[in-house]
Amino acid sequence: MTDTTAAPRQAKRRSLPLHVLGPVLALIALIVLGALLNSNFLSYGNVTNVLARSAFIGIIAVGMTFVITAGGIDLSVGSMAAFVAGVMILAMNALIPTLGIGVPLVAAGMCVALLAGLCAGLLNGVLIAKVRIEAFIVTLGAMGVYRSLTTWLADGGTLSLDFEARTFYRPVYYDGILGIAWPIIVFALVAILGELAMRKTPFGRHCAAIGANEQVAKYSAVKVDRVRMATYVLLGVLVGVATIMYVPRLGSASGSTGVLWELEAIAAVIIGGTLLKGGFGRVWGTVIGVLILSLIDNILNLASIVSPYLNGTIQGVIVILAVVLQRQGKSAE
C-alpha cells in the first residue's frame, strides 16, 4: 500500500532548510553587497562599530523574542529604555556625594537600571496577565507614559551624567577584551543564554505552547499567567541591561532616546523567523535579524544610496514584508 502522506512530509522536510537558512543567506548577501559597494565595509573599525551599535537593540530583541513567542507584543521598550536611562543618571548624580566617583557608583547605577527595568516589565506583565488588558493597549499606553516621564524628569531638555562620572563610566562601552567591546560581549552572552533558555528549558517550551494555543497550554498544566508575566519581566530586565551599555556611550538621556527601538526589536525578531502570532521562536534567528537591520543601515550610510532619515521607512517596509512572507509560507504548508 502506498503511503499518501509520505510525499507531503518529504516536501516539507526539503523546504525546511531553506526556511531555516533564509535569514543566514540574506545576511551573507548583505555582507557581499556591502563589500562590493565600499572598500571600508569589512574593516575592523566598521565591523566593530556596527556590532557595538547593534548590541542595544540585540539585547532587547532577545527578550522580545520570548514575548512574541508567547503571543504577546511590547511597544514600550524604546521609551522604557529612555526612562530607565534617565532614572539611572539621576540616581548616579545623586549618589556622587555619598559614593564618590568609582566602581561603587557605577555598580549602584547598574542596580538602579536593572531594578527600574524589572519594575517596568513587571507592571506591563501584571496589567496584561492579571488584569487581562490587551498587550497592544498596555504597551502602547506605557510607551506614551515612559516617554512623557522622561521628558518631565529632564524638564524638556536632557539629563546628563556628571562629567567625571561619565569619564569613569565610558570604558563600559568603549573598552573590552581582546579588542571586542563590552556591548558585543554582553550581547553574545545574552543571545547564547536566550537560545539555551528557548530550546532547553521548560520556560522556553511553555512560551511556545502558550503562543500556539493558550487553552491547550492550560490543560497541559502550564501556568499561563505566570509564564506570560515572566516574559515581560525578562524583557524589562534586558532593557535595563541594554541601558547599562548605552548610557556610557553618550552619558545622557532625553525624551528622544530610544526612538524606534521597539520597531527595530520587533523587526529583528520577525526577520529572524519568530512567528508574529506566537507559537514558535528562535533566538539565533533574532540575532541574525539584528545584524541584517544593522548592515542595511550601515550600507545605506556608507553608500549614500538614500537619506538616513528614511531608515525608519525601510525598517517598517521590512517588517511588513517579513509578515507577508510568514503568512505565505504558512499557507503553503
Side-chain angles (χ1 to χ4, degrees), residues 73 79 99 111 136 141 152 163 180 208 269:
I73 196 72
S79 55
L99 300 179
C111 290
F136 179 85
W152 174 70
F163 179 77
I180 304 175
V269 173

Side-chain angles (χ1 to χ4, degrees), residues 3-333:
D3 184 359
T4 58
T5 64
R9 282 202 302 267
Q10 291 172 359
K12 187 174 181 179
R13 282 198 294 267
R14 285 196 299 267
S15 65
L16 183 60
L18 182 59
H19 172 68
V20 172
L21 294 176
V24 178
L25 295 176
L27 179 63
I28 294 173
L30 283 173
I31 293 174
V32 173
L33 176 63
L36 293 174
L37 290 176
N38 192 297
S39 59
N40 294 323
F41 179 76
L42 293 179
S43 66
Y44 172 80
N46 187 62
V47 171
T48 54
N49 180 58
V50 169
L51 292 176
R53 290 171 67 90
S54 65
F56 314 127
I57 302 300
I59 292 169
I60 294 173
V62 170
M64 187 71 76
T65 304
F66 287 89
V67 170
I68 293 179
T69 300
I73 196 72
D74 194 333
L75 304 176
S76 68
V77 291
S79 55
M80 186 189 299
F83 176 70
V84 171
V87 171
M88 179 184 181
I89 289 171
L90 288 175
M92 291 181 70
N93 286 340
L95 289 172
I96 289 176
T98 304
L99 300 179
I101 306 296
V103 174
L105 178 67
V106 172
M110 291 180 176
C111 290
V112 169
L114 293 175
L115 182 60
L118 186 150
C119 291
L122 179 61
L123 179 59
N124 283 347
V126 168
L127 291 174
I128 292 166
K130 296 296 185 181
V131 185
R132 309 289 182 183
I133 305 176
E134 290 291 333
F136 179 85
I137 300 300
V138 170
T139 58
L140 181 64
M143 178 174 65
V145 169
Y146 293 134
R147 189 72 65 190
S148 177
L149 285 175
T150 306
T151 304
W152 174 70
L153 289 174
D155 195 23
T158 301
L159 293 167
S160 297
L161 187 61
D162 177 84
F163 179 77
E164 293 185 11
R166 186 191 320 174
T167 302
F168 185 84
Y169 193 13
R170 278 173 61 87
V172 173
Y173 177 82
Y174 290 98
D175 286 358
I177 300 176
L178 300 175
I180 304 175
W182 285 116
I184 302 174
I185 296 172
V186 173
F187 177 27
L189 290 175
V190 169
I192 292 170
L193 293 175
E195 179 65 20
L196 291 175
M198 182 67 78
R199 292 281 163 256
K200 304 296 184 181
T201 67
F203 176 65
R205 293 191 293 271
H206 291 170
C207 288
I210 294 170
N213 193 312
E214 183 175 329
Q215 291 302 318
V216 172
K218 286 182 179 179
Y219 294 144
S220 301
V222 175
K223 299 184 183 300
V224 173
D225 291 349
R226 184 179 301 177
V227 172
R228 177 165 286 135
M229 192 182 306
T231 61
Y232 286 96
V233 172
L234 173 63
L235 178 54
V237 171
L238 290 180
V239 169
V241 173
T243 303
I244 288 172
M245 296 291 105
Y246 177 80
V247 167
R249 177 170 173 257
L250 298 176
S252 63
S254 68
S256 61
T257 298
V259 171
L260 293 182
W261 280 16
E262 56 280 336
L263 173 61
E264 294 182 48
I266 294 171
V269 173
I270 303 307
I271 291 170
T274 296
L275 297 180
L276 184 58
K277 69 175 185 178
F280 175 79
R282 54 188 187 203
V283 173
W284 71 264
T286 295
V287 174
I288 299 297
V290 170
L291 295 178
I292 287 174
L293 289 175
S294 298
L295 288 181
I296 290 174
D297 183 44
N298 185 243
I299 290 171
L300 292 176
N301 289 333
L302 289 177
S304 300
I305 298 174
V306 298
S307 169
Y309 298 116
L310 293 176
N311 288 350
T313 300
I314 295 171
Q315 291 168 357
V317 171
I318 291 173
V319 174
I320 296 172
L321 289 176
V323 174
V324 170
L325 291 175
Q326 280 188 2
R327 290 186 174 180
Q328 288 181 345
K330 189 66 176 177
S331 60
E333 295 176 1

